[in-house]
Amino acid sequence: MDERVDKSAARRAELAGATLKTLSELGYARTSLREIAQNSDFSHGVLHYYFRDKVDLITHCVREYKAVCVTRYDQVVATATTPAQLQAGFLDKLAQTLVEEPHMHRLWYDLRNQSMFEESFRADVAAIDASLERMVWRVVSRFAELLDTPPRVSSATMYALFDGLFQQALLRQLAGDPDAAADLQAAVTSVVAQVVPLEREPVAG
Amino acid sequence: MDERVDKSAARRAELAGATLKTLSELGYARTSLREIAQNSDFSHGVLHYYFRDKVDLITHCVREYKAVCVTRYDQVVATATTPAQLQAGFLDKLAQTLVEEPHMHRLWYDLRNQSMFEESFRADVAAIDASLERMVWRVVSRFAELLDTPPRVSSATMYALFDGLFQQALLRQLAGDPDAAADLQAAVTSVVAQVVPLEREPVAG
DNA sequence: GGAAAAGCTTGACAGTCGTCAAGACACGGG
DNA sequence: CCCGTGTCTTGACGACTGTCAAGCTTTTCC
């Protein structure tokens, strides 16, 4: 019986993978079940054998997506012993994922946007957003710890800032701008210098 | 003859309005020409009388959208004579548009996202993004001028930061979070305090 | 007033969509 | 061997899509 559910879970994961691939290539608006099936080894009918409907399938995908993303910087956080090391490692991975996986990232932004229109996605999307926020905060708070300076903005704000920078960089990367990654690194460096600064006078006002 | 083109332009604008409304309600993925026509006084066939195809129609809409948005804060910039006035006016308008026009904003994010997948939208979207960046920069640079302190980040970075904050707030607003607007104002205030600070020691490193 | 032009509607076309029922295939236990 | 069960394919359904041609209505102009 365990074997049965394992098999079933594996197949679901396989189909979820094909779905993620399709979504990342075509975007939500043009992703159809038949197109997904063509990115897998099966026919379009099997999708309704493993998933209730299209929303169920995509929801499952979104959850799977989360697992991959959320640990991206954990290794860097775990091994870095100086602020400079941590910053360099983070910037490296940031640029790397921007250049190597832009399709995966646009898929995420597409789904998050879809959640603005379709309530069925909202809960899962919000959960992933929260996970990503924690991921970013692990990096930033560790950085602050190594610097012995508390961050000057909240976790939620910090995430929004990084997300905005990354999204602009992604737009440029997908438009073919060769400087997108380098400029992202520079911008992040500049912003971090402001919000997790070396010791300085407190801001008045 | 001028009268002809005026009439034609007016009708195009009218249909573009119906398109914007439909897009803001349903999102790009579920917006069809028949649905657009139902949001106007005409039948679906007329869309092909005034626009070559769907892409042409939506592209035209996007350009129209730009005109409305881009002057949102100009009045505030023109009238404010102190930093506090400018900041308060900006935060007011920011919260107001978040609460009153969330559908229009999700439409913009949806189309910008679509441009990650469809090259046909890319140029127009990039142009609007640049316009919005200039809009934000007019506010920030004026603020810095009134404070007699240069901003510590570039125009592009500043826009990305605001955009990230606004997008997070929009997600929360659309999910029904009653604190979305207030938290956005607080976050923007906090960030501005970091990147356009009152005089302080330069950041080392 | 009547013809020409512009504006708009209607209906059809070839596709595609999500969904699902019917049946084919594999496979292990009687 | 056959039967039952889990797995997968096939083909069909009604609905919906963008597009466009044919024709209707209104306006314009002589």
Side-chain angles (χ1 to χ4, degrees):
Chain A
M1 196 195 80
D2 278 358
E3 190 181 317
R4 278 269 171 274
V5 307
D6 282 2
K7 193 96 177 187
S8 180
R11 185 103 326 157
R12 283 168 68 93
E14 194 177 349
L15 294 171
T19 307
L20 286 175
K21 187 181 176 207
T22 310
L23 284 168
S24 74
E25 283 170 359
L26 301 181
Y28 178 84
R30 295 188 308 188
T31 290
S32 72
L33 296 181
R34 284 169 177 81
E35 201 76 41
I36 293 169
Q38 280 195 340
N39 275 331
S40 79
D41 296 331
F42 307 96
S43 71
H44 69 275
V46 81
L47 292 169
H48 278 88
Y49 184 80
Y50 287 101
F51 299 94
R52 195 177 353 101
D53 54 18
K54 197 185 179 183
V55 170
D56 184 32
L57 169 60
I58 292 188
T59 299
H60 187 264
C61 281
V62 169
R63 296 213 184 91
E64 183 152 299
Y65 172 88
K66 169 182 170 173
V68 221
C69 279
V70 132
T71 61
R72 179 164 291 129
Y73 305 104
D74 286 359
Q75 187 62 26
V76 175
V77 171
T79 57
T81 56
T82 69
Q85 240 178 31
L86 180 54
Q87 177 152 354
F90 176 67
L91 289 178
D92 265 8
K93 277 241 173 292
L94 198 64
Q96 185 191 349
T97 190
L98 180 76
V99 171
E100 293 178 2
E101 309 180 290
H103 287 203
M104 268 302 160
H105 291 290
R106 74 178 172 183
L107 146 68
W108 158 245
Y109 288 117
D110 201 14
L111 290 177
R112 188 170 74 175
N113 238 284
Q114 223 25 244
S115 85
M116 291 190 188
F117 295 93
E118 295 196 31
E119 213 205 312
S120 20
F121 294 157
R122 238 166 245 175
D124 286 298
V125 162
I128 297 189
D129 236 11
S131 287
L132 294 171
E133 181 185 323
R134 285 192 296 273
M135 173 185 79
V136 165
W137 193 244
R138 284 197 294 276
V139 180
V140 172
S141 59
R142 175 63 178 152
F143 184 70
E145 192 186 353
L146 290 172
L147 271 181
D148 201 24
T149 316
R152 293 177 165 240
V153 295
S154 71
S155 167
T157 300
M158 193 72 242
Y159 173 58
L161 299 185
F162 277 9
D163 196 61
L165 291 169
F166 192 83
Q167 209 170 336
Q168 283 292 327
L170 182 58
L171 280 161
R172 289 175 53 191
Q173 174 72 25
L174 289 167
D177 186 338
D179 301 328
D183 289 354
L184 171 62
Q185 291 183 320
V188 167
T189 302
S190 153
V191 169
V192 166
Q194 311 299 318
V195 299
V196 195
L198 293 177
E199 310 83 32
R200 66 187 189 197
E201 299 300 309
V203 172
Chain B
M1 197 197 81
D2 279 358
E3 192 180 315
R4 277 266 172 276
V5 307
D6 282 1
K7 193 97 175 184
S8 180
R11 186 105 323 160
R12 283 168 67 93
E14 196 177 346
L15 294 171
T19 307
L20 286 175
K21 188 181 175 209
T22 311
L23 284 169
S24 74
E25 284 171 358
L26 302 181
Y28 178 84
R30 294 189 307 188
T31 290
S32 70
L33 296 181
R34 283 168 178 82
E35 201 76 40
I36 293 170
Q38 280 195 340
N39 276 332
S40 78
D41 296 331
F42 307 96
S43 71
H44 69 274
V46 83
L47 292 169
H48 278 88
Y49 185 80
Y50 287 100
F51 298 94
R52 194 175 355 100
D53 55 18
K54 199 185 179 184
V55 169
D56 184 31
L57 169 61
I58 292 188
T59 299
H60 187 266
C61 280
V62 169
R63 296 212 184 92
E64 184 151 299
Y65 172 88
K66 168 182 171 173
V68 221
C69 279
V70 132
T71 62
R72 178 165 291 129
Y73 306 104
D74 286 359
Q75 187 62 26
V76 175
V77 171
T79 58
T81 56
T82 69
Q85 242 179 29
L86 179 55
Q87 176 152 354
F90 176 67
L91 289 178
D92 266 8
K93 278 241 173 292
L94 198 63
Q96 186 191 348
T97 191
L98 179 76
V99 171
E100 292 179 2
E101 310 179 290
H103 287 203
M104 268 302 161
H105 291 289
R106 74 178 173 184
L107 146 66
W108 158 244
Y109 287 117
D110 201 13
L111 290 178
R112 189 171 74 175
N113 238 284
Q114 227 20 248
S115 84
M116 291 191 190
F117 295 93
E118 294 196 31
E119 212 204 314
S120 20
F121 294 157
R122 237 166 246 176
D124 286 296
V125 162
I128 297 189
D129 236 12
S131 286
L132 294 171
E133 180 185 323
R134 285 192 297 272
M135 173 185 80
V136 166
W137 193 244
R138 285 195 294 276
V139 180
V140 171
S141 59
R142 175 65 178 149
F143 184 71
E145 192 186 352
L146 290 171
L147 271 182
D148 201 26
T149 316
R152 294 178 167 240
V153 295
S154 70
S155 167
T157 299
M158 193 73 242
Y159 173 58
L161 298 185
F162 277 10
D163 196 61
L165 290 169
F166 191 83
Q167 209 170 336
Q168 283 293 326
L170 182 58
L171 280 161
R172 289 175 51 189
Q173 175 72 25
L174 289 166
D177 185 340
D179 300 328
D183 289 353
L184 171 61
Q185 291 182 320
V188 167
T189 302
S190 153
V191 169
V192 167
Q194 310 299 316
V195 299
V196 195
L198 294 176
E199 309 84 32
R200 65 185 188 198
E201 299 299 312
V203 172

